[in-house]
Amino acid sequence: MIKRAKRADRIATVVICFFAMLIVALLVGLLGYILVRGLGHINWHFLTSTPQMIRGGGGIGPQLFNSVFLLILTLIITVPLGWGGGIYMAEYARGGRLTHLIRLVVEVLSSFPSIVIGLFGLLVLVNTLGLGFSLLAGSMALAVFNLPLMVRTTEQAFRAVPKEQKEAGYALGLSKWKIITSILLPVALPSLITGTILASGRIFGEAAALMFTAGMSSPPLDFTDWNPLSARSPINPLRPAETLAVHIWKVNSEGLAPDAKEIAAGASAVLVILILGFNLAARWLGRAAYRKFTAAKRMD
Amino acid sequence: MGQMGKDAALNQGVKNRKRREKHYWEDWIGRIYTSICVVVLLVVIVSIVFFVSSKGLATFLENGVRLREFFTGTRWSPDESFGALPFITGSFAVTLLAALIAGPLSLCAALFMTEILPGRGKRILQPAVELLSGIPSVVYGFIGLTVIVPFIRDYIGGQGFGILAGCLVLSVMILPTITSIMADALASLRGGLRESSLALGATRWQTIYRVVIPTVLPALLTGIVLGMARAFGEALAVQMVIGNAPHIPSSLTESAATLTSTITLSMGNTAMGSVHNNALWSMALVLLAMTFVFVILVRLLERRNRI
């Protein structure tokens, strides 16, 4: 009886360890595959030249620019709204019915499929508001996609601030808002920044919400023209903008170029490298901030 | 009290009032600003539900497509027949199969992190899981297209596209979601339970499956439900590997379609307002409704968890 139990214990341990290691192997395999397949295709020409739909040798220059620019636009919209919402939830919400409702709303919003957000953008932003397929519509859709996450991380960051900090502020006779902006915000800032960077990684790889809002094409861009009102300017918010992630999908689904697979592999590698960069940056910043505020040697 | 004193007191009073006014201002600014942010959230969700519903219901209210036809019909042809059953079946099939594959795997990973090697296991697996969740869905789709589909074609049979390829890709995609929730649940187990079981002479495995897992079961299931919600709504990765044939497949390696893959492919090539287009919006409405179902399930499980 005891022998059997011990044998079962050993078997279970081996099985659990095996599957856990399998996941690590899976990750290493995935990353290795993407990088090995894609890195060979990445060079300066590929990163800067325009894509070709029919002939080979196309690059991903405009798409790369669009991805980064869209990310910046989205953060401009999301950060004030998301941080504000998070501050409300942490400092002003009174735990009544309304708070429960808002919590439910945040939960539902964060579990909406991104394609539904994209369709909503198509219907409301692109058609009803008449923005057309544009950077503006795309960044608004991404903001919807990103808001719940921002609100949640902000709330957690503010709740993690020690109570004494707030009490000290009240003792000095400061107003609530002054305490939030001058005392709590600086302390919560490291985790806010970490959360924002991680969210950026998510935005960067998002495609389904963008296909129908930022569009699936990119007009010929003139990088010497920085007037946001002209049609060929890269920073014109009303021009369509295909991002890197959307481009990968398009090349795979309807790519006619002979080197479509290589382009997709190269673009995937670029995307993954950038997201790895985001992840490492967030981790490093989080650690540095953690050390600074707690004088701890290591973070587990 | 002389004139000087009075003046000073008056000055002090004015100063105090000013300071108070500044406080009032500051507080009102803060309250109004944060409230506006929350109101934006509410407006967004209400408008999403309203707009998608109004378009999705138009199929049945204006175009006269019968509800029964939509939910049980198996023929989908863009001008006369709108049976969405193949897509609904496809969506549920890939979701359930992905959960069946990813659930046990995630449980193993979570147990490894909390029970087998607490501390060190977390340091190995946590970054891996986080990185997996960071890989964008189009990249998963691309890998599915270039690795999984040819593999199935060569070694299992069929064209390679289909439910099998779809659920394999999805199971890797939802692994991180499920694992992190399960690991949190296991880590939050009340102190003493584990130790008491071990003190009674139970082996580690007996402790895990007789004490630990039953205690945190609702939270573990929450992880699986949230993973399923992700799988159900995933569009592009599935679209790349499922084959996109609008019929109910007879085997796992036969080309099929899901709600999301059909919307992805057809939304761009149909005219706004046509019956075909409205039917696609009805599918989006089904996705929306399923999101609410998943959220309600999670809430019910959380309620079980508190007791």
Side-chain angles (χ1 to χ4, degrees), chain A residues 20-35:
Chain A
M21 288 304 112
L22 185 73
I23 289 173
V24 176
L26 196 67
L27 172 79
V28 173
L30 281 175
L31 290 180
Y33 176 79
I34 295 166
L35 296 178

Side-chain angles (χ1 to χ4, degrees), chain B residues 85-97:
Chain B
L85 189 63
F87 314 127
I88 297 172
T89 319
S91 277
F92 275 102
V94 288
T95 304
L96 289 171
L97 285 170

Side-chain angles (χ1 to χ4, degrees), chain B:
Chain B
M1 208 160 168
Q3 189 56 34
M4 289 265 289
K6 263 189 193 158
D7 274 353
L10 208 67
N11 271 339
Q12 196 61 39
V14 169
K15 260 194 195 148
N16 268 343
R17 197 168 330 132
K18 265 204 179 131
R19 198 174 297 152
R20 262 210 307 274
E21 270 171 14
K22 197 176 153 216
H23 273 204
Y24 282 134
W25 270 115
E26 275 176 354
D27 266 347
W28 274 113
I29 288 170
R31 195 166 277 282
I32 289 169
Y33 166 62
T34 53
S35 305
I36 285 175
C37 295
V38 172
V39 168
V40 167
L41 272 178
L42 294 173
V43 168
V44 164
I45 194 156
V46 167
S47 54
I48 288 179
V49 173
F50 171 78
F51 280 104
V52 174
S53 305
S54 66
K55 281 290 261 182
L57 292 174
T59 322
F60 311 111
L61 301 176
E62 290 166 29
N63 308 119
V65 176
R66 284 221 191 87
L67 266 176
R68 235 188 81 194
E69 181 196 352
F70 184 81
F71 284 106
T72 59
T74 52
R75 266 197 69 240
W76 177 267
S77 62
D79 6 307
E80 65 229 40
S81 170
F82 297 97
L85 189 63
F87 314 127
I88 297 172
T89 319
S91 277
F92 275 102
V94 288
T95 304
L96 289 171
L97 285 170
L100 273 180
I101 299 170
L105 263 176
S106 306
L107 184 60
C108 285
L111 286 171
F112 183 81
M113 279 198 259
T114 53
E115 310 290 325
I116 309 280
L117 268 181
R120 221 164 356 135
K122 207 175 163 87
R123 264 208 298 288
I124 301 169
L125 267 183
Q126 185 92 24
V129 168
E130 273 174 22
L131 289 181
L132 273 181
S133 72
I135 298 177
S137 64
V138 276
V139 175
Y140 276 117
F142 171 66
I143 294 173
L145 196 61
T146 51
V147 180
I148 293 179
V149 169
F151 180 86
I152 293 175
R153 188 187 308 142
D154 296 343
Y155 295 96
I156 299 175
Q159 280 295 307
F161 293 98
I163 305 263
L164 182 60
C167 73
L168 285 175
V169 170
L170 279 178
S171 58
V172 181
M173 286 181 74
I174 63 176
L175 240 161
T177 312
I178 307 182
T179 304
S180 50
I181 295 169
M182 282 185 172
D184 286 348
L186 290 170
S188 69
L189 188 66
R190 270 203 313 277
L193 272 176
R194 223 177 256 125
E195 291 75 6
S196 339
S197 167
L198 291 169
L200 286 172
T203 62
R204 184 167 56 191
W205 172 239
Q206 283 171 327
T207 306
I208 290 174
Y209 86 94
R210 295 219 171 128
V211 177
V212 176
I213 292 182
T215 314
V216 292
L217 191 62
L220 298 180
L221 290 176
T222 301
I224 292 183
V225 170
L226 283 173
M228 282 169 72
R230 256 204 84 183
F232 202 85
E234 178 50 52
L236 302 185
V238 178
Q239 187 275 323
M240 286 185 190
V241 298
I242 196 120
N244 308 305
H247 57 75
I248 299 179
S250 52
S251 79
L252 291 181
T253 53
E254 203 178 298
S255 179
T258 65
L259 293 166
T260 48
S261 73
T262 313
I263 293 172
T264 307
L265 277 183
S266 316
M267 191 55 90
N269 343 328
T270 53
M272 268 280 180
S274 64
V275 191
H276 185 189
N277 186 273
N278 281 350
L280 292 174
W281 283 99
S282 304
M283 290 196 215
L285 185 56
V286 174
L287 284 178
L288 204 67
M290 280 308 295
T291 308
F292 281 102
V293 170
F294 285 125
V295 169
I296 290 166
L297 270 178
V298 167
R299 293 256 152 163
L300 289 175
L301 284 167
E302 273 171 1
R303 196 167 299 167
R304 278 285 317 277
N305 217 12
R306 267 189 229 117
I307 297 163

